[in-house]
Amino acid sequence: MNIVSSTIRDLLIVAEKEYNAQDAFRFKTKQVGADGKAETVIKSKSYTQLKNDSECFSKSLASLGEQEKHIAIIGSTSYAWVVAYFGIVNCGSVAVPLDAQLSAEELCELLNRADVTTLIYDENKSNVADMASSKCPQLKHFICLSKNSVLENTLYFEELIKQQEPGFECEIVPEKLATIMFTSGTTGKSKGVMLTHRNMAENATCLDMKFEPKTVLLSVLPIHHAYCLSMDILKGLYTGAIICINDSLMRVAQNIKLFKPNMILMVPLMIESMAKKLEDAAALPAHIVKENVFGSQFQTICSGGAYLNPAYIDLFKKYDINILQGYGMTECSPVISTNLLWENKTGSVGKIMPNCEAKTVDEELWIKGSSVMQGYYKMPQETADTLEDGWLKTGDLGYVDEDGFIFLTGRKKNLIITPNGENVSPEEIENKIGDNRLVQEILVRDSEGVIEAEIYPDYEYAEKKGITDILAELQKIIDEYNSNAPLYKRVFKLKLREVEFEKNTTKKIKRF
Amino acid sequence: MLEKITEIILRYVEVNREDIKPESRFMEDLGFTSYDFMSMLGEIEDELNVEVNQEEAANIRTVQEAVDYLERIS
């Protein structure tokens, strides 16, 4: 298939027509076996079932009066999550996928800021639904993806679907807003990236990467991230893939053995870890090592989210595994460029997508094209700072060569990109830890892949309070912060400063 | 249990056996990445035949905390 879909609705219709009874998803589920004990089995859902179920959910939302509304989904990757997503966007509503790792307070703040009227959540997040029922006055409906919820007045996803018949007509124009995705802001406040149907559908379908239908994909990245949603789910479905759901990051190795994937979308942190496993067994012949770690059917890793040392690409080649390094950001739906098997350059993050163009302004890379977001939700100033005449200022320093390959040379924006592709705003962490009286000045930065805080304490205050072991006291403050922060935002290194930080003319700490 | 976990830890990070102490912190002291830590929990699930709750496990910081948690769910 080599045509471009301009709406997510069209993408699903085209995929279902082409691949109908073929498996679209495979996932693990627990059931009671003949011996009365719980056993894990693999279930599958076809392309037709996916389309039908999503239409049933669109109908349910319409009957609840939730068309043209903002609907949040909080939960890990599941078939129900994907059905909910298509059900939402294909009835004209806007899906707001949220990070399940955030605290209930932070999630409630995002629900309010995104004007969400229905919350869809999995049972692990009942505490969020509970808090939101009192803190989010705009919320009208709560829908639980699984069967158990402690919250009263909850609707159950499965029941809603069962109550409807497939078939739902709704005109969706490409310019319609489909999704708001939150991303870290440099001021410490996360920003809601507004993406239309055209943004997302064209990003997922404009480039033919020549993936064969029935390619088995294992989806391991968090689905609330644009990279996973676009590349694993939208592109996967469009190319006729069989998408296998990894139930936990703890079980990637086990699930590789179970589902036998041909391809996995990864972030550099995972590639580095896999490389260690390959090297640990390097004394054995390469094909046996590959068989043990990935299975002989494994062929391709798509890498994105953060910088990958090109040495890994060569290392994996030894095992007959191709790493296709790409580059993107949520604001660009998200893929900006990717290397392909037949079109790649070492050191580059790939050739720019056919729906985009790039230029360099004052060393910064700017992108224009149908993937570029509409702006940040209800943040006109931040939008104006980022978009200029349709050009997206990426915040990355780099250039495009004469063949359209992008090379990155550094970052302009002050954002930590962790090796697992999460963007973390240092200011957000600095503000949280800096609230403490003992912390006079703080600087948060990346240090060899982990987040480090350097603190200049208020020595006078410490003396007044009789604090002798300042480092231990500061560690307590960090521990307290860490206990409420998701894993990727935790501070794992602490540095004590004896002199104040150097400041620039506006009295701000000089970061570099 | 401590011995078993020490064995598994040694498959993930390059540290000396004697450096793995009950009070050692996985990330800060032993040099685990978040992904390696998660993978290790998966391996522990298989070897000890237990089911680890990912959200609870995210709060484990030290080797002793891991031992306590695993003894509780075993």
Side-chain angles (χ1 to χ4, degrees):
Chain A
M1 219 192 309
N2 200 12
I3 49 167
V4 175
S5 279
S6 292
T7 65
I8 296 169
R9 180 178 148 81
D10 180 56
L11 185 155
L12 185 59
I13 289 171
V14 170
E16 193 275 333
K17 211 171 171 186
E18 186 83 16
Y19 306 113
N20 42 71
Q22 186 201 303
D23 283 358
F25 284 93
R26 287 181 187 155
F27 51 91
K28 290 198 287 191
T29 185
K30 281 209 170 114
Q31 65 177 39
V32 181
D35 57 358
K37 285 184 185 163
E39 59 179 20
T40 301
V41 292
I42 298 179
K43 260 194 159 181
S44 61
K45 295 283 181 182
S46 70
Y47 277 77
T48 302
Q49 279 171 303
L50 171 66
K51 180 170 171 283
N52 287 349
D53 286 345
S54 74
E55 287 173 355
C56 289
F57 192 57
S58 289
K59 271 188 175 171
S60 290
L61 290 173
S63 69
L64 290 169
E66 287 297 285
Q67 276 184 281
E68 306 285 331
K69 297 285 166 60
H70 292 187
I71 298 171
I73 326 177
I74 308 175
S76 51
T77 311
S78 66
Y79 173 70
W81 196 108
V82 177
V83 170
Y85 181 79
F86 281 108
I88 294 166
V89 300
N90 291 346
C91 79
S93 285
V94 178
V96 186
L98 295 174
D99 180 359
Q101 284 192 70
L102 297 176
S103 69
E105 286 84 0
E106 286 172 296
L107 287 165
C108 286
E109 195 253 330
L110 295 180
L111 291 170
N112 283 331
R113 268 213 281 139
D115 295 318
V116 171
T117 54
T118 291
L119 170 62
I120 302 172
Y121 62 100
D122 71 20
E123 66 180 316
N124 293 332
K125 291 286 135 192
S126 290
N127 63 322
V128 179
D130 194 26
M131 184 184 280
S133 65
S134 59
K135 283 199 167 175
C136 305
Q138 295 187 75
L139 270 181
K140 287 187 190 143
H141 306 284
F142 295 86
I143 301 174
C144 186
L145 289 171
S146 38
K147 284 179 187 146
N148 307 307
S149 174
V150 288
L151 196 72
E152 276 178 49
N153 305 324
T154 289
L155 301 165
Y156 290 100
F157 186 75
E158 226 170 274
E159 285 172 18
L160 289 177
I161 298 226
K162 273 189 198 151
Q163 287 163 8
Q164 306 291 342
E165 291 292 324
F168 184 81
E169 289 302 321
C170 175
E171 198 200 339
I172 304 284
V173 294
E175 279 65 39
K176 186 150 194 61
L177 190 61
T179 304
I180 296 175
M181 294 186 131
F182 281 94
T183 183
S184 284
T186 45
T187 54
K189 194 174 181 186
S190 55
K191 299 178 287 191
V193 175
M194 296 190 287
L195 301 172
T196 61
H197 276 260
R198 186 192 299 283
N199 288 153
M200 299 193 68
E202 293 195 3
N203 192 261
T205 64
C206 74
L207 177 67
D208 181 4
M209 294 178 79
K210 303 202 192 314
F211 296 141
E212 292 291 323
K214 289 193 182 169
T215 292
V216 179
L217 285 182
L218 181 65
S219 180
V220 299
L221 298 178
I223 197 165
H224 67 274
H225 278 202
Y227 184 39
C228 175
L229 184 56
S230 171
M231 285 287 288
D232 270 345
I233 309 298
L234 299 182
K235 192 170 197 75
L237 292 172
Y238 190 71
T239 56
I242 298 165
I243 304 165
C244 305
I245 297 174
N246 180 62
D247 58 335
S248 163
L249 267 190
M250 294 189 296
R251 301 183 197 111
V252 175
Q254 293 89 327
N255 287 332
I256 286 175
K257 291 196 167 71
L258 185 69
F259 291 113
K260 299 185 173 28
N262 308 116
M263 185 165 107
I264 307 181
L265 204 66
M266 289 190 192
V267 289
L269 187 70
M270 301 174 77
I271 294 173
E272 288 159 21
S273 179
M274 298 281 184
K276 263 190 271 171
K277 280 194 181 156
L278 293 173
E279 283 177 316
D280 283 348
L284 296 167
H287 72 279
I288 295 187
V289 177
K290 179 182 172 183
E291 176 70 43
N292 288 342
V293 179
F294 290 103
S296 55
Q297 79 296 329
F298 193 72
Q299 298 157 340
T300 311
I301 294 173
C302 292
S303 169
Y307 169 77
L308 178 76
N309 185 334
Y312 288 109
I313 298 174
D314 295 334
L315 175 79
F316 277 73
K317 255 187 204 147
K318 278 200 283 186
Y319 300 95
D320 202 21
I321 296 168
N322 298 304
I323 297 183
L324 305 178
Q325 169 71 3
Y327 161 64
M329 57 197 295
T330 308
E331 286 87 339
C332 212
S333 307
V335 185
I336 293 172
S337 64
T338 184
N339 279 296
L340 298 165
L341 209 50
W342 59 95
E343 216 170 26
N344 59 73
K345 281 192 186 182
T346 307
S348 138
V349 289
K351 194 170 181 177
I352 189 156
M353 296 280 276
N355 66 333
C356 284
E357 55 181 308
K359 67 176 179 183
T360 302
V361 179
D362 294 333
E363 293 181 69
E364 186 186 20
L365 195 66
W366 289 22
I367 305 290
K368 194 177 202 170
S370 70
S371 306
V372 172
M373 66 160 180
Q374 308 308 298
Y376 297 115
Y377 188 63
K378 288 190 171 172
M379 285 185 160
Q381 188 54 52
E382 284 80 354
T383 301
D385 291 344
T386 310
L387 293 177
E388 194 173 310
D389 297 330
W391 288 94
L392 170 77
K393 302 174 188 174
T394 64
D396 289 310
L397 305 179
Y399 62 92
V400 202
D401 74 3
E402 63 283 2
D403 299 320
F405 281 83
I406 293 181
F407 290 81
L408 298 179
T409 53
R411 278 200 62 78
K412 189 178 179 189
K413 280 188 200 166
N414 174 37
L415 209 56
I416 298 171
I417 313 287
T418 67
N420 61 348
E422 298 280 0
N423 295 3
V424 180
S425 154
E427 286 90 341
E428 180 189 332
I429 302 176
E430 286 162 7
N431 292 342
K432 282 186 178 159
I433 297 175
D435 275 348
N436 197 287
R437 199 53 191 82
L438 185 60
V439 180
Q440 185 159 329
E441 290 176 355
I442 174 169
L443 195 72
V444 167
R445 61 179 156 239
D446 171 67
S447 165
E448 294 167 347
V450 297
I451 298 176
E452 173 183 81
E454 186 172 358
I455 296 176
Y456 172 64
D458 187 334
Y459 286 105
E460 226 170 83
Y461 176 78
E463 203 182 325
K464 221 189 286 172
K465 291 283 171 186
I467 299 167
T468 48
D469 192 345
I470 294 179
L471 192 63
E473 204 57 32
L474 289 174
Q475 187 60 52
K476 268 193 217 162
I477 295 168
I478 301 278
D479 290 348
E480 169 67 24
Y481 159 77
N482 282 349
S483 67
N484 290 311
L487 210 51
Y488 64 88
K489 285 188 188 173
R490 291 185 191 171
V491 173
F492 289 121
K493 274 190 191 171
L494 169 63
K495 231 174 159 180
L496 185 67
R497 242 185 115 83
E498 291 180 353
V499 290
E500 280 185 32
F501 284 98
E502 201 182 328
K503 315 282 187 323
N504 62 22
T505 47
T506 56
K507 300 284 176 227
K508 277 190 179 168
I509 295 173
K510 273 191 185 171
R511 288 195 174 266
F512 305 105
Chain B
M1 182 69 82
L2 178 63
E3 204 146 299
K4 183 84 208 154
I5 291 179
T6 302
E7 282 302 323
I8 299 177
I9 287 172
L10 286 167
R11 289 178 212 158
Y12 285 85
V13 284
E14 283 174 27
V15 293
N16 295 320
R17 182 181 287 269
E18 55 272 25
D19 292 333
I20 304 172
K21 300 185 177 111
E23 65 274 21
S24 303
R25 294 168 298 176
F26 284 99
M27 313 273 186
E28 296 92 326
D29 303 327
L30 301 177
F32 268 79
T33 66
S34 56
Y35 180 68
D36 280 339
F37 181 68
M38 286 294 174
S39 305
M40 182 189 70
L41 293 173
E43 201 167 329
I44 288 174
E45 272 194 332
D46 278 359
E47 294 214 3
L48 303 184
N49 201 19
V50 291
E51 198 171 324
V52 171
N53 176 308
Q54 195 176 316
E55 298 213 343
E56 286 175 11
N59 293 319
I60 295 173
R61 289 185 55 218
T62 64
V63 174
Q64 187 60 48
E65 284 171 17
V67 169
D68 293 345
Y69 174 73
L70 293 168
E71 279 177 348
R72 186 157 58 80
I73 62 166
S74 292

